[in-house]
Amino acid sequence: MERSVKLECRGVWKIFGAHPETFLKKHNGAPTSKDFEASHVVGAVRDANVQVFQGEIFVIMGLSGSGKSTLVRCLSRLVESTAGEINFEGRDLLKMSNAELIDVRRKKMGMVFQHFALLPHLTVLQNAAFPLEVQGVSQNEREDRARQMIETVGLKGREDHYPRQLSGGQQQRVGIARSLVADPDLWFLDEPFSALDPLIRREMQDEFLRLQSMLHKTIVFITHDFDEAIRLADRIAVMKDGCIEQIDTPENLVLNPATPYVEEFTRHIPRAKVIKLSSIMSKGVPEGEYAGDLDGHLAVADTVHQLDEADLPFRVLDEDGKPVGTIDARAAVDIMIGRTAA
Amino acid sequence: MFWLGLFAITWGLSQFSFAIYKALDARWIVRFPKKYELPLDSWISSAMTWLVEDAHFGLFTFRDLTRFIAAVIELPYQFVRSLLIDGFSVGQGQQAIEVAPSISWIAIIGTMAVIALYARNAGLAMLAALCFAYLAIFGQWESAMVTLASVLIAVPIGVTGGLLLGILSYRHPWVEKALRPILDLMQTVPVFAYLVPILFLFGFGPVSALVATVIYAMPPMVRIATVALQSVPEEVKEAGRMVGCKPHQQMWKVMVPTALPSLMVGVNQVIMLTLNMVIIASMIGAGGLGYDVLTSLRRLDIGGGIEAGLAIVVMAIALDRVSQAFAIRRVRPRPDPAQPIYQRHPLISTSVALIVISTLLGIYLPGFRLLPESLTITTGSIWTAMMEWINVTFFDFFEAIKTFFLTTLLLPVKRFFSGIPWAWGVIVVGLAAGRVGGWKFGLMSAAMTLFIAANGLWAKAMITVYLVSVSVLIASAIGIPLGIWAGQSNRANSVIGAMIDTLQTLPSFVYLIPVVMLFRVGDFSAMIAVVLYALAPAVRYAAHGIRSIDQELIEAGKVSGCTERQILLRIKLPLAAPSLLLGLNQTIMLALSMLVITALVGTRDLGQEVYIALTKANTGQGIIAGLSVAFIAIIADRIVAALARNSQEKLGVK
Ligand SMILES: Nc1ncnc2c1ncn2[C@@H]1O[C@H](COP(=O)(O)OP(=O)(O)O)[C@@H](O)[C@H]1O
Ligand SMILES: [Mg+2]
């Protein structure tokens, strides 16, 4: 099934410092790491090529300072790229006038920030309604819609609180409500949960997945946490020093790292956490008795208990819920303990 | 080594400059040659005359412009004044018929209390009410209301103007670049310097006073607004852009509200500086409490001066505390829109009711309009008697203190600075500045120093430098230990903090009154007034420096077995050094600005030069002397700031 490309960037560079264009030209549009070291400019994003498909969760992952935030700001044109091309729904984002850009942002884009970026003088309700207020939507309508959104993110009853009266997790829920209130198609999240405590973070990740299962947005999600990335991503782009090292599914990143850096990065990740049932099932479903059905999307680690407790194998379902294979406890345990399957 | 050598040469030249001049018969060594002196002052004066009499901008003349500005300021001022105290009347002079009364004094006190209640709580409301009641009871009401009227005009102009300039310089870096030196200059040029040209342009009266006040009070607002906007978190700005704010929405819906708490600090500053100007502004026609203080000082009427001075202080305290409370006001939940209006806005309703009722009553019962004189108390004679008693009883004691300081500190320092030959002065300033701030800054400083000498102001400038040095020395000697103490103990901090707050709330002139009463005119009085005024930053920055040291470092010291004393000397002080230097910088700036005011008590420095220019309305002379003070301030400011930066870099803190 081929999905349409929502957002695409080709050969995007972002260089901070004096005269970035001249610098780029001097090195024929492709300066190397050495060139950067020898100069006073920073190559925050280097030759990024990304395609984000309609409805997927695209995660950009990398250590702090690797250029994730800069890349996502190039994609939303909060930062002007030094070079490159960005297409949003087939339109050249970089050629848009200011008025067009404002229009696109109002109707089609939403963004969540690491430190929430709420307006301190507005209540929860007013914060959530803010994008609509800016668009000139009438007070009644915007407050109705904001109220719904607040309920969706689970903050009902706190509409009249001010941001500083809320915990970090609650504040980020307001940030999420604000970013979704105008019903955008493309949703940017820049390390939305990094400022939260680990327990809250997990809770928010679940909440995020629940929202996405309802809303089906196209998502660009930034994180420096690989566990978070695997939990959420359909595909992951790994960044290092401004370069994208590899773009792939979590499973492929772990099983087939393209560069030594990615390998190093994924080494500590238990295979069972990323390998999906559909990858290790035996194809074909012979007639017989089964303990039940499992979604082929699930990671081995999440199902191993179930598999182990049952005496019979399970059927594995594809995306449409059709049985396509079978799996038993032994295959799962092999992966868990790292025994290569015969 | 560099500094020691420089000092040794300077000292030697200073000691023997007079002898050298005699020996070589070279008078130019101690005096800048008369025939090379720049006639700048007369040029400026004639330029000003031309401006006022002949300048033409196509459609309108310069005079039209000043008249227009005057009208724009005068109208609202007269309105507020009528509202607060004069009442509204038609007709002129004797034939004037009152058509509407001024607001009742009770209503004004009540409204102040309501505003304070809104800003914080009942305690603050009580304070505000007491302060304003004080003004009524002690017979200062009418003058106080005249002063309040000018505050109510100057503050909004200063705040709005400052905010708009701040927005411009936030939006356009070149505006900030262009404004910065002007603001630096505005904050360092003594007020007296622009009183003269303003007087020349607008004539004697409240308009001149308001213009001077706004010019004086606005620069910090510009700076604070710029910084406040710049420090809105990047993410908040991005959030605004991502929801599709147009530029004006971004400014007024995102930036300004987010920066509001910091902006309120600026508003507080504007209010305090406005009150600071009250007395000075009355020299060019402000009237009110400032005028009362000024006339008392001139008549040496101790009681009257103290009474009016205290009234300014009381008003300053009330306005300061209330405006500070606004800066940190907690937002309350919004009222339920279903309720009737008087329940939703109980405070506004109360004060409107109070104003209407008591003002209407005032039409029939004069006691509501103004507190009857029979009920007011005057304390003037008590103060006079008290001062006299102190003077008689402790005369010898005060005299001894004064003599001690004069002979051991003031006179030697004065001799040192006065002896420095101007030519060497130019060189040494250039060298020192170049050493800390690079050769460009060195050249600039040397040029500024030369400007002072070339205008024949070398001797007076050295007196200024001497007075500032001594005052800063003493202010630091008192302030830094106090600050360190406050930084280490919470108890000391609250006491010292309150003390410093009060000192800073006092308008600068007020210090002069008791000091002159006790020590009479002269350098020593000037020094004490300056020290009192300039003490605050030394204390504040020291305390802040000590407090902001990383707790872990102190614990590390304790674990390695340092005694309290070692921790203070080896850890806290070195780490607080940048902060101490910043405090020093502020102390110097305040000392310089206060110094000019002390010309009133008979110093013979640049301040006196400005004061003379003011009385003679000599624009050129006033501006040149003012610029000279500003140059000294700029050089000192940059040198100390560079030192602070260097020490920050050395410690790796920023
Ligand atoms: N406005 C800026 N000016 C100069 N350098 C910047 C700016 N923003 C980011 N950088 C640099 O670009 C690099 C990437 O930063 P960033 O995109 O914030 O990384 P990440 O979000 O992955 O932590 C860093 O080296 C950072 O110092
Ligand atoms: Mg980041």
Side-chain angles (χ1 to χ4, degrees):
Chain A
M1 183 185 68
E2 189 54 31
R3 283 187 295 181
S4 64
V5 176
K6 188 86 181 173
L7 178 70
E8 176 174 24
C9 75
R10 271 196 301 262
V12 166
W13 289 79
K14 178 65 200 182
I15 296 171
F16 289 111
H19 312 297
E21 278 95 3
T22 329
F23 175 83
L24 207 56
K25 210 171 278 165
K26 201 172 85 190
H27 298 282
N28 301 320
T32 61
S33 299
K34 281 219 182 67
D35 297 332
F36 280 107
E37 272 161 37
S39 71
H40 291 290
V41 295
V42 179
V45 172
R46 310 185 195 177
D47 193 22
N49 295 286
V50 169
Q51 284 187 320
V52 183
F53 297 110
Q54 172 80 44
E56 79 169 329
I57 302 182
F58 186 84
V59 171
I60 302 174
M61 222 271 325
L63 297 180
S64 128
S66 58
K68 311 176 295 288
S69 296
T70 309
L71 176 56
V72 82
R73 278 160 180 71
C74 285
L75 294 178
S76 57
R77 221 182 127 184
L78 280 172
V79 160
E80 296 293 340
S81 309
T82 312
E85 216 179 286
I86 297 171
N87 271 300
F88 172 62
E89 297 186 333
R91 294 168 71 195
D92 190 338
L93 197 70
L94 301 184
K95 294 230 169 69
M96 282 184 194
S97 69
N98 263 334
E100 287 173 298
L101 190 62
I102 285 179
D103 197 54
V104 164
R105 285 183 180 149
R106 286 184 174 182
K107 307 229 163 84
K108 307 234 160 179
M109 291 181 178
M111 184 154 175
V112 179
F113 296 88
Q114 180 170 3
H115 300 103
F116 324 133
L118 300 178
L119 296 173
H121 64 291
L122 299 182
T123 61
V124 167
L125 185 68
Q126 290 165 332
N127 260 297
F130 186 67
L132 301 176
E133 181 190 342
V134 167
Q135 294 180 26
V137 176
S138 76
Q139 179 160 6
N140 279 338
E141 187 187 338
R142 68 175 187 246
E143 295 202 342
D144 280 349
R145 282 168 65 183
R147 208 162 264 146
Q148 267 172 26
M149 210 59 236
I150 288 169
E151 191 171 345
T152 309
V153 299
L155 277 182
K156 196 172 161 58
R158 300 195 194 265
E159 287 86 350
D160 288 332
H161 284 49
Y162 283 90
R164 69 166 143 259
Q165 298 170 309
L166 303 179
S167 70
Q170 289 170 332
Q171 290 191 35
Q172 194 57 296
R173 285 171 196 260
V174 182
I176 289 175
R178 176 177 69 186
S179 70
L180 290 177
V181 76
D183 194 22
D185 302 328
L186 183 57
W187 196 18
F188 295 108
L189 300 98
D190 184 3
E191 306 214 20
F193 311 139
S194 296
L196 306 177
D197 291 337
L199 277 181
I200 310 283
R201 197 180 306 161
R202 237 186 130 79
E203 187 186 315
M204 293 294 286
Q205 288 165 358
D206 292 336
E207 181 79 19
F208 168 78
L209 287 173
R210 183 182 66 82
L211 276 174
Q212 171 65 353
S213 69
M214 288 161 45
L215 302 170
H216 309 292
K217 304 287 180 199
T218 304
I219 294 174
V220 177
F221 188 109
I222 313 275
T223 179
H224 64 249
D225 175 0
F226 201 51
D227 287 325
E228 184 167 83
I230 347 175
R231 272 199 79 187
L232 307 179
D234 291 316
R235 289 189 307 141
I236 300 178
V238 179
M239 279 189 87
K240 181 197 174 214
D241 297 338
C243 299
I244 297 181
E245 297 268 308
Q246 186 176 1
I247 303 181
D248 224 323
T249 59
E251 196 172 1
N252 270 338
L253 278 184
V254 174
L255 297 180
N256 308 308
T259 68
Y261 180 76
V262 178
E263 183 174 4
E264 179 63 33
F265 217 95
T266 54
R267 176 170 312 170
H268 75 282
I269 303 295
R271 299 296 180 262
K273 265 185 147 172
V274 287
I275 296 181
K276 301 202 157 115
L277 294 185
S278 53
S279 312
I280 57 160
M281 67 185 183
S282 347
K283 293 224 171 68
V285 190
E287 283 297 315
E289 263 194 275
Y290 293 100
D293 293 339
L294 286 171
D295 196 335
H297 248 50
L298 293 172
V300 173
D302 296 335
T303 54
V304 71
H305 273 287
Q306 237 178 316
L307 288 168
D308 193 42
E309 272 161 20
D311 297 328
L312 294 167
F314 280 75
R315 290 195 303 184
V316 178
L317 308 180
D318 71 0
E319 279 160 37
D320 306 322
K322 231 170 51 204
V324 286
T326 62
I327 190 161
D328 57 15
R330 182 172 170 85
V333 172
D334 282 347
I335 299 288
M336 287 295 288
I337 63 178
R339 182 167 53 197
T340 31
Chain B
M1 235 1 258
F2 173 82
W3 295 108
L4 224 74
L6 214 56
F7 180 77
I9 300 175
T10 311
W11 189 80
L13 282 173
S14 156
Q15 286 294 301
F16 300 110
S17 63
F18 200 71
I20 300 173
Y21 143 55
K22 282 282 175 229
L24 299 180
D25 195 23
R27 192 168 157 70
W28 64 267
I29 292 180
V30 290
R31 275 200 81 87
F32 192 82
K34 259 260 161 14
K35 65 175 170 202
Y36 295 114
E37 259 179 33
L38 296 177
L40 261 183
D41 51 349
S42 57
W43 291 350
I44 295 179
S45 293
S46 27
M48 289 294 282
T49 314
W50 171 82
L51 201 59
V52 172
E53 286 175 4
D54 299 319
H56 222 284
F57 308 102
L59 290 180
F60 55 91
T61 60
F62 188 78
R63 175 142 281 176
D64 293 336
L65 181 70
T66 55
R67 287 209 178 118
F68 172 73
I69 297 176
V72 167
I73 297 177
E74 177 113 36
L75 275 176
Y77 172 74
Q78 286 305 344
F79 175 79
V80 174
R81 217 179 127 147
S82 308
L83 202 64
L84 288 179
I85 188 74
D86 291 347
F88 295 89
S89 41
V90 285
Q92 293 286 315
Q94 294 291 316
Q95 280 102 50
I97 304 162
E98 184 160 276
V99 288
S102 57
I103 298 177
S104 149
W105 63 281
I106 300 173
I108 293 176
I109 296 176
T111 305
M112 270 312 289
V114 165
I115 293 174
L117 187 62
Y118 176 74
R120 170 131 1 113
N121 55 20
L124 191 67
M126 197 67 193
L127 177 80
L130 280 180
C131 284
F132 272 69
Y134 172 95
L135 299 175
I137 293 170
F138 286 89
Q140 306 292 322
W141 189 257
E142 286 175 60
S143 292
M145 287 307 110
V146 172
T147 298
L148 187 62
S150 54
V151 171
L152 287 182
I153 294 303
V155 169
I157 298 180
V159 167
T160 318
L163 179 60
L164 291 181
L165 283 177
I167 289 177
L168 272 182
S169 55
Y170 165 74
R171 282 208 176 135
H172 310 287
W174 63 267
V175 175
E176 195 195 355
K177 261 210 188 114
L179 274 181
R180 192 180 302 147
I182 300 177
L183 293 180
D184 280 352
L185 205 67
M186 299 296 306
Q187 285 195 321
T188 40
V189 169
V191 198
F192 275 4
Y194 45 84
L195 287 191
V196 189
I198 288 173
L199 196 60
F200 199 72
L201 294 178
F202 296 99
F204 187 86
V207 172
S208 275
L210 283 170
V211 171
T213 306
V214 168
I215 293 180
Y216 175 70
M218 197 160 74
M221 184 69 200
V222 180
R223 254 181 236 265
I224 291 177
T226 311
V227 173
L229 292 174
Q230 280 166 348
S231 45
V232 169
E234 195 59 35
E235 281 196 343
V236 173
K237 297 180 203 167
E238 289 175 343
R241 289 169 60 197
M242 274 315 281
V243 303
C245 283
K246 300 204 168 121
H248 69 275
Q249 290 176 320
Q250 177 81 358
M251 184 52 67
W252 296 104
K253 285 180 181 270
V254 177
M255 303 294 298
V256 170
T258 307
L260 199 61
S262 315
L263 291 175
M264 283 309 296
V265 174
V267 174
N268 176 260
Q269 282 280 309
V270 175
I271 294 177
M272 295 323 288
L273 290 179
T274 301
L275 285 168
N276 229 324
M277 270 294 279
V278 160
I279 300 175
I280 301 173
S282 63
M283 288 180 181
I284 53 173
L289 290 173
Y291 181 73
D292 296 351
V293 173
L294 198 67
T295 44
S296 305
L297 262 185
R298 285 192 182 137
R299 284 197 318 245
L300 278 180
D301 164 13
I302 304 172
I306 294 186
E307 260 190 321
L310 274 181
I312 299 180
V313 173
V314 164
M315 192 147 114
I317 290 178
L319 296 181
D320 178 45
R321 296 300 130 87
V322 173
S323 58
Q324 271 191 25
F326 267 102
I328 52 169
R329 196 172 87 88
R330 299 217 143 239
V331 190
R332 312 223 172 93
R334 287 182 318 145
D336 180 359
Q339 289 171 336
I341 188 151
Y342 58 87
Q343 269 181 27
R344 257 184 296 159
H345 302 289
L347 295 181
I348 297 180
S349 318
T350 315
S351 61
V352 168
L354 192 63
I355 290 172
V356 172
I357 294 171
S358 57
T359 305
L360 284 181
L361 278 175
I363 298 178
Y364 304 103
L365 302 169
F368 273 90
R369 182 162 180 188
L370 270 182
L371 188 65
E373 208 154 316
S374 56
L375 293 180
T376 62
I377 306 166
T378 173
T379 49
S381 50
I382 303 176
W383 291 112
T384 311
M386 198 165 103
M387 274 297 170
E388 259 165 27
W389 178 79
I390 293 178
N391 262 333
V392 171
T393 321
F394 296 107
F395 181 82
D396 293 335
F397 176 65
F398 286 129
E399 205 57 23
I401 295 183
K402 185 167 146 184
T403 317
F404 172 77
F405 272 99
L406 275 174
T407 49
T408 55
L409 189 65
L410 274 77
L411 290 178
V413 177
K414 188 176 190 172
R415 223 171 286 132
F416 167 69
F417 279 113
S418 304
I420 300 176
W422 63 270
W424 175 250
V426 173
I427 296 172
V428 80
V429 168
L431 284 178
R435 173 90 178 185
V436 295
W439 64 271
K440 260 192 205 157
F441 173 55
L443 272 185
M444 191 181 93
S445 306
M448 287 176 170
T449 319
L450 188 62
F451 172 90
I452 298 174
N455 279 292
L457 292 173
W458 183 254
K460 292 197 169 179
M462 281 303 106
I463 303 274
T464 299
V465 172
Y466 129 73
L467 268 174
V468 170
S469 317
V470 171
S471 310
V472 168
L473 198 74
I474 293 186
S476 306
I478 300 172
I480 293 178
L482 275 181
I484 292 174
W485 190 30
Q488 306 209 73
S489 132
N490 281 328
R491 219 127 95 279
N493 190 40
S494 55
V495 176
I496 294 173
M499 219 170 75
I500 290 297
D501 275 351
T502 321
L503 270 183
Q504 281 220 307
T505 328
L506 304 185
S508 42
F509 248 91
V510 171
Y511 297 108
L512 276 182
I513 306 170
V515 173
V516 172
M517 305 296 157
L518 295 179
F519 296 106
R520 293 185 308 286
V521 296
D523 286 5
F524 186 66
S525 297
M527 187 202 79
I528 296 188
V530 175
V531 167
L532 282 176
Y533 183 62
L535 191 60
V539 178
R540 285 246 166 87
Y541 279 84
H544 173 76
I546 296 283
R547 271 185 192 277
S548 50
I549 293 171
D550 191 351
Q551 204 55 36
E552 275 188 13
L553 282 171
I554 295 170
E555 282 166 5
K558 277 186 193 150
V559 173
S560 358
C562 290
T563 61
E564 280 295 321
R565 204 183 130 79
Q566 284 170 322
I567 288 181
L568 181 63
L569 292 180
R570 301 271 174 92
I571 299 178
K572 287 183 176 172
L573 280 186
L575 286 175
S579 214
L580 294 182
L581 281 170
L582 287 176
L584 181 67
N585 195 6
Q586 288 299 307
T587 310
I588 295 176
M589 292 301 123
L590 284 188
L592 271 169
S593 66
M594 179 71 186
L595 202 60
V596 181
I597 295 166
T598 58
L600 274 192
V601 296
T603 53
R604 300 177 157 280
D605 60 346
L606 290 173
Q608 186 210 29
E609 181 83 4
V610 181
Y611 190 59
I612 294 171
L614 184 63
T615 50
K616 290 196 303 197
N618 182 340
T619 331
Q621 191 188 7
I623 290 182
I624 301 275
L627 272 182
S628 300
V629 180
F631 285 166
I632 296 177
I634 291 172
I635 296 171
D637 175 54
R638 297 289 160 81
I639 291 184
V640 180
L643 287 177
R645 215 169 26 246
N646 292 348
S647 74
Q648 270 175 343
E649 272 163 21
K650 213 164 70 193
L651 293 174
V653 290
K654 185 70 221 220

